Amino acid sequence: MTMQEQPEPAFAPGLTAQVELTVTDADTAQAVGSGDVPVLGTPRVLALAEAATVAATATGMPPGSTTVGTRVELEHLAPTVVGRTVRAQALLATVDGRRLSFEVTVSDGDQTVARGRVDRIMVDRQRFVERAGRAS
C-alpha cells in the first residue's frame, strides 16, 4: 500500500459541537418514566449529550460510515424546569482507531446540569444494520 492509499484519520481530538433543547413537558422525568417530578429527565439529558457527539462527527464522516454509542458515564447534577433551554457540548477527547471518546457537558446558562463521557465507535452503516437484523 502506498502512502497515498492509507486512509487519513477521520477525526482528531479537539473537535467540538453543541446542541440545544428547550425543555417541554414531554422531556420531563414524569413523561419519560424516569421519575415522578416535572423536571428534565435524565434519559433526555443523555440523549441530548449523545446528539452533541453525533453532531461533532456529522460533517467529517466517511461515506457509508456512522458511529454508534458503546459506553456512557453521566452525572446529572442539577434539575432543569420546563421552559428553560439547556445546551449540550461534546469535545472529542481521544481517538483510538475507530473508537472516539467524548467529554460532554450539559449546561443551563452558567450552571452545569450534567457532565460525563460518551464513547462511540465508527462502523460501516449497512453492515451494522444487517448484523443487527440477523441477531433478532
Side-chain angles (χ1 to χ4, degrees):
M1 191 190 289
T2 68
M3 285 297 284
Q4 288 179 333
E5 293 175 54
Q6 291 180 352
E8 286 295 311
F11 305 106
L15 184 65
T16 64
Q18 60 183 25
V19 295
E20 290 186 349
L21 170 74
T22 299
V23 180
T24 69
D25 289 335
D27 301 309
T28 64
Q30 287 173 321
V32 299
S34 66
D36 64 1
V37 287
V39 297
L40 180 61
T42 303
R44 289 296 291 131
V45 173
L46 173 57
L48 190 65
E50 281 201 293
T53 68
V54 170
T57 60
T59 57
M61 189 64 60
S65 295
T66 191
T67 62
V68 294
T70 58
R71 187 167 192 272
V72 172
E73 289 178 31
L74 187 72
E75 288 182 285
H76 193 170
L77 304 166
T80 306
V81 297
V82 170
R84 295 289 298 177
T85 298
V86 291
R87 175 180 291 119
Q89 177 154 351
L91 167 68
L92 182 53
T94 60
V95 177
D96 180 10
R98 297 181 305 129
R99 298 183 186 281
L100 310 174
S101 183
F102 292 87
E103 294 172 3
V104 293
T105 306
V106 180
S107 57
D108 177 355
D110 291 335
Q111 182 178 33
T112 300
V113 172
R115 66 175 171 242
R117 192 175 103 188
V118 175
D119 293 344
R120 302 186 72 79
I121 189 165
M122 199 162 31
V123 297
D124 178 278
R125 178 184 286 109
Q126 185 174 347
R127 251 186 293 166
F128 183 85
V129 171
E130 286 172 357
R131 283 185 188 148
R134 285 196 300 267
S136 57

